[in-house]
Amino acid sequence: MKKIGLLLAILACISPDLFAQGAKNIRINEVMTDNESSIVDEFGNHKAWIELCNASFTTVNIRGMYITTDKSVLNEDLSAPQRQALMSLIPNGDESTLLSGNQHFILYCNGNPKDGSRHITAKITEGEPVWVALYDGNGVELIDSVTVPALSVNQSYAREKDGSANWVVRGSKNVTPGIANTPNINNKIARTKAEDPHGFAITILAMGTVFSCLALLFVFFRVLGLIMDHINTTKKIANAYPLKPVTSTITTTAKIGAEVLDTTGKLMKDGLKLKGIDKKVYIAVIAMAIKQYEDDVHDVESGIISIKPKSTTWNAPKFNNEIKK
């Protein structure tokens, strides 16, 4: 029994030191003083926020610690209760206050603790410098502090890397609330998880991409179908109304012309020799040749019928005048 009691006494003495060592690994990691389009709280409001980070690989519970933006707590004449009255307590009752190694925790300022365990009363004025400090649960030991310069809208003041000593001003596109400050692929994944915890945005994006591709495929195949229909229609018309080859007509015409010239030449030669053939014979031969030529080239065009006017008694001027009388 004495050994057990001695062991418990040793553990009781060591435990506060171990807790203190764990608390010293908590760092103020990033601060935003003017939040217009960054993260929102559970009520959808944009508020100034402070990010804490566990810079160790051990688990630390930050409940019971204090956050303050009031420099009057540095007055050494103040007692612990007086300091605590000027600070904001990180309340109990939230499992997320148990930070594992390299985990982050967001606190919303200018709030009311009744709104939730992440809302603290620490005051931050937009566009003005502010001093932020983290105190141990006794309200006396200062764990970490930083003086934040005046920031523009949606800018943050953050460590270059989690827990590092160097601080930088980050633009609105480079703030990293709730995730590691080191930009890498895992950081982008973490940012996506933080901004879209339920996956609605990525689902809508994926569905939009799929439906856009389907719409493009529909338009492509629709246009291709119209082109193929036009080609098929053209082929059907060409097969239904084939064009006669012009070469054969030209060849036939040339052949007829040669025959006419040959025949006419012979007749003229014979007529001159015989001196008895009437000129009417020559005219008749030439007329027959022209008639044969016209019959051969008539209606060469496919689907076109040529109709020549012909005078009859119905359209004769004399006949029409007699009817009118």
Side-chain angles (χ1 to χ4, degrees):
M1 293 295 293
K2 291 182 179 180
K3 291 182 179 180
I4 295 175
L6 181 61
L7 181 60
L8 292 175
I10 294 173
L11 290 174
C13 294
I14 295 176
S15 294
D17 293 334
L18 291 175
F19 178 79
Q21 289 295 325
K24 289 181 180 179
N25 291 319
I26 303 300
R27 294 286 182 267
I28 300 171
N29 205 48
E30 190 170 5
V31 180
M32 178 176 285
T33 59
D34 192 355
N35 178 10
E36 286 192 2
S37 60
S38 182
I39 58 173
V40 296
D41 61 11
E42 58 268 38
F43 303 104
N45 299 320
H46 292 90
K47 291 186 175 182
W49 49 266
I50 299 171
E51 179 192 73
L52 302 180
C53 173
N54 180 5
S56 69
F57 294 98
T58 59
T59 300
V60 180
N61 199 331
I62 62 173
R63 65 183 180 183
M65 293 184 179
Y66 291 92
I67 291 285
T68 184
T69 56
D70 191 344
K71 271 194 171 184
S72 60
V73 298
L74 297 175
N75 187 351
E76 296 180 357
D77 295 333
L78 296 177
S79 63
Q82 289 175 329
R83 283 196 180 91
Q84 292 172 1
L86 300 173
M87 301 177 184
S88 298
L89 177 68
I90 299 176
N92 299 328
D94 190 341
E95 295 180 356
S96 60
T97 58
L98 188 64
L99 301 184
S100 58
N102 298 314
Q103 190 176 351
H104 304 79
F105 188 81
I106 299 293
L107 291 167
Y108 297 102
C109 302
N110 303 326
N112 189 338
K114 294 181 180 179
D115 294 335
S117 58
R118 292 176 179 264
H119 294 263
I120 57 177
T121 57
K123 302 297 181 182
I124 290 181
T125 304
E126 298 176 355
E128 294 185 6
V130 62
W131 177 74
V132 181
L134 173 66
Y135 275 82
D136 200 354
N138 55 21
V140 176
E141 185 177 359
L142 178 63
I143 297 176
D144 192 21
S145 66
V146 61
T147 299
V148 180
L151 300 174
S152 300
V153 176
N154 297 324
Q155 285 185 336
S156 72
Y157 194 56
R159 297 180 187 270
E160 283 187 338
K161 295 181 180 180
D162 289 353
S164 68
N166 297 326
W167 288 78
V168 294
V169 176
R170 292 179 178 267
S172 58
K173 295 183 179 180
N174 297 318
V175 297
T176 55
I179 58 177
N181 289 355
T182 305
N184 52 38
I185 296 176
N186 293 329
N187 191 16
K188 293 180 180 179
I189 296 174
R191 182 195 291 272
T192 303
K193 289 182 179 179
E195 295 178 351
D196 186 25
H198 301 291
F200 293 134
I202 195 68
T203 301
I204 294 173
L205 178 62
M207 293 178 64
T209 302
V210 171
F211 283 113
S212 298
C213 293
L214 291 175
L216 290 175
L217 287 174
F218 171 78
V219 173
F220 171 76
F221 284 111
R222 179 63 176 170
V223 173
L224 181 62
L226 293 174
I227 294 174
M228 295 304 296
D229 288 342
H230 179 72
I231 293 174
N232 292 332
T233 303
T234 304
K235 288 182 178 180
K236 289 180 180 179
I237 294 174
N239 293 332
Y241 304 100
L243 295 176
K244 294 182 180 180
V246 180
T247 306
S248 61
T249 302
I250 295 174
T251 304
T252 304
T253 303
K255 184 177 179 181
I256 293 172
E259 292 177 355
V260 169
L261 292 175
D262 184 61
T263 305
T264 305
K266 288 181 179 180
L267 289 174
M268 290 181 66
K269 184 177 180 182
D270 294 340
L272 291 173
K273 286 182 178 180
L274 298 176
K275 298 181 181 180
I277 299 176
D278 192 359
K279 291 182 179 179
K280 293 182 180 180
V281 176
Y282 298 127
I283 295 173
V285 171
I286 294 172
M288 290 177 63
I290 293 174
K291 181 65 169 63
Q292 185 178 2
Y293 167 75
E294 289 181 349
D295 290 342
D296 186 72
V297 299
H298 180 66
D299 290 338
V300 174
E301 302 89 348
S302 176
I304 299 176
I305 300 176
S306 300
I307 300 176
K308 296 181 179 180
K310 184 178 180 181
S311 298
T312 64
T313 55
W314 291 99
N315 61 359
K318 182 179 179 181
F319 181 78
N320 291 334
N321 293 332
E322 291 178 356
I323 292 176
K324 291 180 181 180
K325 292 178 180 180

